[in-house]
Amino acid sequence: MDPAHSIRAIAIPLALAVCIGSLLPVTAQAASTSSTIDVDDTSMTWGNGWTWRPDDDNQSIGTFTVADGADVTLTGTTTQNRVLITGVATIRLADASIDVSGISDPAFRLDPGADLTLLLSGVNTIRGGGQNAGIYVPPDTSITIDSASAADDEIGVLHAYAGAADGAGIGGGGSSEANSPITINGG
């Protein structure tokens, strides 16, 4: 058999296999958006499902924005960084402390339409600043809090404080409205 016939003998079945293969259904697996954020480390400005941006007025203060569909874990300690949730997201707090009592903002803020599942691991502290809630849950948002683990010996703890006496640890602050669902299943 000459070499040209050998190449055609291989090329035709290979081309048929590629054509038939392209007609078969393809099953895609969704990419994981799980990411871990050290709330005190601002050297990374983005990851799977989140970004960090410094304030325009004060570059030492910033906001971690957790995007719709994100699944992130927050660890570490900060007095300079807040968390903004812009859609449906899952955040795991793992021995995290976010205390922005020196800033006149909530430590966590949910944007309109946000639905946050907050899972607790270890001991976590969230403290707002000014007359703001630690976790601000405005109208048209919701939050569900639970333990990250079903094991009784691994129940997470959340200490949530307002910046001033007239705010809530979780909910509204000062004169701001908060009439959205707050569900606490565990932790």
Side-chain angles (χ1 to χ4, degrees):
M1 189 181 274
D2 77 41
H5 268 272
S6 295
I7 291 174
R8 277 190 220 124
I10 294 172
I12 291 173
L14 182 61
L16 284 172
V18 169
C19 289
I20 292 171
S22 68
L23 298 175
L24 296 175
V26 176
T27 303
Q29 188 172 8
S32 172
T33 58
S34 183
S35 189
T36 299
I37 303 168
D38 179 343
V39 293
D40 195 40
D41 181 5
T42 57
S43 64
M44 293 284 294
T45 59
W46 63 274
N48 288 334
W50 65 272
T51 59
W52 179 84
R53 180 177 174 195
D55 284 5
D56 292 332
D57 297 334
N58 184 344
Q59 297 291 303
S60 66
I61 299 170
T63 301
F64 286 101
T65 300
V66 178
D68 187 42
D71 182 348
V72 299
T73 299
L74 301 181
T75 64
T77 299
T78 187
T79 58
Q80 300 295 312
N81 295 306
R82 300 157 295 205
V83 178
L84 171 65
I85 297 89
T86 62
V88 178
T90 298
I91 295 178
R92 288 170 185 75
L93 291 178
D95 292 312
S97 176
I98 302 171
D99 180 345
V100 295
S101 55
I103 306 168
S104 188
D105 282 319
F108 270 62
R109 187 181 88 221
L110 281 69
D111 263 1
D115 180 7
L116 175 62
T117 299
L118 188 62
L119 301 175
L120 308 174
S121 175
V123 178
N124 303 279
T125 303
I126 304 296
R127 185 180 303 273
Q131 295 181 338
N132 291 286
I135 301 174
Y136 179 48
V137 186
D140 301 321
T141 64
S142 64
I143 183 172
T144 301
I145 300 171
D146 207 344
S147 184
S149 172
D152 287 337
D153 62 340
E154 295 179 27
I155 293 176
V157 175
L158 175 63
H159 300 283
Y161 305 97
D166 59 348
I170 303 169
S175 62
S176 63
E177 247 180 86
N179 57 1
S180 293
I182 299 170
T183 305
I184 301 175
N185 292 327

